[in-house]
Amino acid sequence: MRNGRLIAALILALVAPMAVADQAVVDRLQAAGFPLTAEAEAQLLAATAEESARLLPEIVAEAVRENPDAAADIVRGAVIAQPEQAANIVTAAVVGAPDQAASIAGAAVAAAPELAAAITSAAVAAAPEAAADITQAAVTAAPESATEITAAAIEAAPEFAQAITAAAVEAAPDQADAIEAVAAEVEAEIDAQTDTTEPDVDDTDDDPVSPD
């Protein structure tokens, strides 16, 4: 009997903090103005910690698909509530509304400027064709991180390096020299990595030369 009570107490001690944590996530989302539906709230409250980490980006993606014009506000609220999931939130949102990639990135960076590089990388990776617009939005939101944002964007979409650099300079012209320098450095590193991974091509003719 005593052992049964002890086990029950241990289970309650483990479950109660998880329930409190999940409720805290819901409370933060609601406080940040996130459009949390009753169904999504119930899912979060019933989820484990691992499930919650996967569930929130899915909820964000669904909300963005249903209302793409509000994508920036939706992402801002989610990132404010759960900044540690900012990159996953941005990826899900951009996939859900690729036409809103720049506004999503800008809103996320404004909500968590200390994560500007990670957010930019996630957004550009999800929508590389919008790399320049994403970079400009991110630098505008966090000009103090202009060089880090530029580097992250180029690493995520090196084929758009020139456009990314130009967009960053346009958003933060007073940092043009630093932006162009870091862009050149990142491009050089990418080129060097490419050179080391490409197989050597043997140009010699393996066919024997026929004597005249």
Side-chain angles (χ1 to χ4, degrees):
M1 186 71 172
R2 186 175 300 169
N3 288 341
R5 290 175 182 168
L6 179 59
I7 292 171
L10 288 172
I11 292 173
L12 181 61
L14 290 171
V15 172
M18 292 172 60
V20 170
D22 290 336
Q23 183 63 58
V25 172
V26 169
D27 291 344
R28 287 196 299 271
L29 286 168
Q30 292 173 335
F34 185 86
L36 194 64
T37 64
E39 181 182 359
E41 180 178 347
Q43 289 176 328
L44 283 171
L45 290 175
T48 65
E50 290 184 0
E51 290 170 343
S52 179
R54 171 186 54 78
L55 192 57
L56 181 55
E58 292 177 358
I59 291 171
V60 170
E62 183 177 353
V64 166
R65 282 194 297 269
E66 290 182 356
N67 191 2
D69 291 340
D73 291 335
I74 291 169
V75 169
R76 184 182 296 108
V79 172
I80 289 173
Q82 290 291 92
E84 67 273 14
Q85 292 197 51
N88 291 336
I89 288 168
V90 167
T91 297
V94 171
V95 170
D99 291 344
Q100 302 291 329
S103 62
I104 288 169
V109 171
E114 71 280 6
L115 300 173
I119 288 168
T120 301
S121 180
V124 172
E129 69 284 352
D133 291 339
I134 290 169
T135 301
Q136 187 169 8
V139 173
T140 300
E144 69 280 4
S145 299
T147 55
E148 292 86 351
I149 289 169
T150 303
I154 292 174
E155 288 171 354
E159 67 272 26
F160 296 106
Q162 186 173 351
I164 288 168
T165 304
V169 169
E170 183 176 348
D174 58 323
Q175 300 187 57
D177 290 344
I179 289 170
E180 290 172 351
V182 77
E185 181 179 343
V186 173
E187 288 185 76
E189 290 175 357
I190 292 172
D191 289 343
Q193 292 172 0
T194 302
D195 290 342
T196 58
T197 56
E198 287 183 350
D200 292 333
V201 177
D202 188 356
D203 292 332
T204 59
D205 189 356
D206 294 334
D207 294 334
V209 178
S210 299
D212 292 336

